[in-house]
Amino acid sequence: MAYDRHHMKVACTRGGFSLIELIVSVALFAVVMTASVGTLLALVSANQKAQSLKSVINNLHFALDSMARTIRTGQLYFCADSVSETVPSGTADCALGGRTLTLTDDHGVRLAYRYEEGRIERRVGSEGFAGLTAPEVVIDDMQFYVTGSTVGDTVQPTVTISIRGHAGAKPTTDSSFNVQTTVTQRVLDQ
């Protein structure tokens, strides 16, 4: 009988894991996996926000670059708080800021930029206004600051554009931005 007891003892020690050991290991595995999945979901969300912001910045950059090129080579800047139905002629500074800017481009065409209903718009000649920014880009405020627009004075014409807004297709990826750029007139002699 002593042999059987000793033999049983050896058999018990050679067995597998106990139920408690299995429960503890499964619980630890579940905790580690939960933390890993949470981290992965946070990374996916951060990536979506970064991609959304990149798209918005590209769209906003395109609109600002287009405006800056036209302003840089344009002339006869007319800044005001609103655009009238008729295309204004002449010049007008707005050192305190205005929501619209009308100018003559390098081809002699009169055009206007404005902030209207959450977006940047452009009008060429007497046509209607067309949006320059994507629907995901919401402009909260845009101001033009113009100095030196009077023809014949000794001040270099300068336009500063200040834009504040937010962008994103979903509230979880929404990001706010604040952009400002200054453009100096550079008219080349023809």
Side-chain angles (χ1 to χ4, degrees), residues 69-144:
R69 264 184 302 199
T70 303
I71 292 168
R72 185 175 298 116
T73 59
Q75 57 187 338
L76 302 174
Y77 306 127
F78 186 93
C79 182
D81 265 335
S82 63
V83 172
S84 63
E85 292 303 315
T86 60
V87 179
S89 60
T91 62
D93 282 357
C94 55
L96 299 178
R99 293 187 176 248
T100 66
L101 175 67
T102 306
L103 63 118
T104 303
D105 71 5
D106 58 343
H107 301 292
V109 176
R110 198 77 172 152
L111 54 93
Y113 294 101
R114 75 175 179 185
Y115 158 66
E116 183 71 25
E117 298 179 12
R119 64 185 190 162
I120 300 172
E121 297 180 331
R122 177 177 66 184
R123 175 175 72 184
V124 178
S126 59
E127 297 177 12
F129 279 92
L132 285 180
T133 51
E136 295 86 22
V137 180
V138 179
I139 307 298
D140 296 323
D141 188 36
M142 182 169 106
Q143 294 284 321
F144 294 100

